[in-house]
Amino acid sequence: RSLGVEVVASTTSFVLARVGVGVHPALREAGVAVRRADTFPGLGPEWVRIAVRPPEVTGRLVSALGDVLARA
């Protein structure tokens, strides 16, 4: 499902996604762990680092992200 989130392609075990300011704490409150990416030079608080996980875990992330973005 398309959430309108900008994602940076990666060959590593994580991707960077621009989800918007305030989404990181909202995901945490929903029980979904993503890392802040504002520690990467040039990125701000609207970016998160998402680890590559099995499809069922990724599905929970996408669902929670959709819920959070719908409320924003």
Side-chain angles (χ1 to χ4, degrees):
R1 117 181 157 178
S2 174
L3 300 175
V5 172
E6 180 183 353
V7 176
V8 177
S10 175
T11 58
T12 64
S13 61
F14 67 91
V15 296
L16 294 173
R18 186 186 332 227
V19 295
V21 175
V23 172
H24 176 263
L27 286 173
R28 185 177 55 240
E29 289 174 14
V32 175
V34 294
R35 292 182 183 242
R36 294 177 17 224
D38 59 354
T39 57
F40 288 86
L43 298 182
E46 70 276 11
W47 288 89
V48 295
R49 176 180 160 182
I50 302 170
V52 175
R53 297 287 184 237
E56 62 276 3
V57 176
T58 301
R60 288 195 302 270
L61 164 71
V62 170
S63 179
L65 182 57
D67 292 346
V68 168
L69 293 174
R71 292 191 303 260

